[in-house]
Amino acid sequence: MSDSVPKFPPRPSDQGSLIVSSLPDQLPLTLRTAPVAAPPPRRRRWPVIAGGALAALLVAGGVLWWSTGSAPPQPAPPPAAPAAEFVFARAPETQRAVLDSDCSAHAYGDTKAFLVDTPCAQLTRALFTTTTADGRTVHTSVAVVRMHTADDATRLGDLVRADGTGSVNDVLRDRVAVVPGLTRLSRGGFAATVLDQHVIIAESDTATPLPDPMAHKAEMKRVSTAALDLGVGLN
């Protein structure tokens, strides 16, 4: 029996390792062992928005920012008041109002009888002038009758506004002022109002009336109605 150790063929695994270790460096790259690189991260794709939709989004965003980040819109200014139809000037004869304590002495008709039975506290009168749209001068007498009570003023106001009941004399009728072509203003237009204890009476006329008597009276009544405001605080 021989003492030599038997030689066995190498195991397959050993063969493989032997083969790999003995591969020359000149082998192609595809046969070499290399680490596997991680795949690159996927980039998020944003949705494509059409131009019109993008513009709408921008506008909506701007509106939202405006509505939440800016001051509320200011209200539109109120419309300007219409210009007055008539502008009045105080006549030189009555730059200081004419004052009387006996109203019945400066009244006529049923109004005079009422003021005899129900005396006033004071009568204040003044003359004003204005101009029509076509340039004619209008004269207006404003009288303020101050009664002792508001009830007396209401009754006097109802009386002078009724037809054919007389009134308080205008300043031309009492010859406080003189206007060529006019001796009184009661032929023109009349207006009256009541404020607490005061009755304000305005009478207007012009020496150059309109050819149509009805149109003339309507125009003069508009003047008198506008002149009632002059009686507030007349002095």
Side-chain angles (χ1 to χ4, degrees), residues 24 127 135:
L127 182 65

Side-chain angles (χ1 to χ4, degrees), residues 175-194:
R175 298 186 179 278
V176 173
V178 177
V179 175
L182 294 172
T183 57
R184 58 180 180 173
L185 302 175
S186 56
R187 295 190 181 94
F190 170 90
T193 190
V194 178

Side-chain angles (χ1 to χ4, degrees), residues 1-154:
M1 196 171 173
S2 176
D3 294 333
S4 61
V5 179
K7 294 182 179 181
F8 297 95
R11 291 172 296 179
S13 58
D14 295 336
Q15 292 178 356
S17 61
L18 290 174
I19 292 173
V20 171
S21 61
S22 62
L23 288 175
D25 293 337
Q26 288 78 13
L27 287 175
L29 291 177
T30 55
L31 297 179
R32 296 182 188 180
T33 303
V36 179
R42 298 181 62 185
R43 299 178 61 183
R44 174 177 293 183
R45 292 188 177 182
W46 294 97
V48 178
I49 301 177
L54 179 59
L57 287 175
L58 292 175
V59 172
V63 171
L64 178 61
W65 174 86
W66 177 83
S67 62
T68 57
S70 60
Q74 297 298 319
E85 183 180 6
F86 303 104
V87 179
F88 295 90
R90 192 81 164 253
E93 297 92 334
T94 59
Q95 284 298 318
R96 298 185 62 179
V98 181
L99 306 179
D100 291 283
S101 57
D102 185 359
C103 292
S104 62
H106 303 280
Y108 61 95
D110 294 340
T111 301
K112 180 180 179 71
F114 175 87
L115 291 171
V116 169
D117 295 336
T118 312
C120 72
Q122 181 174 285
L123 172 63
T124 305
R125 293 177 294 174
L127 182 65
F128 297 85
T129 60
T130 189
T131 305
T132 61
D134 56 1
R136 290 172 294 119
T137 300
V138 179
H139 301 270
T140 300
S141 176
V142 178
V144 180
V145 183
R146 178 162 59 87
M147 303 300 292
H148 291 284
T149 67
D151 180 66
D152 288 345
T154 298

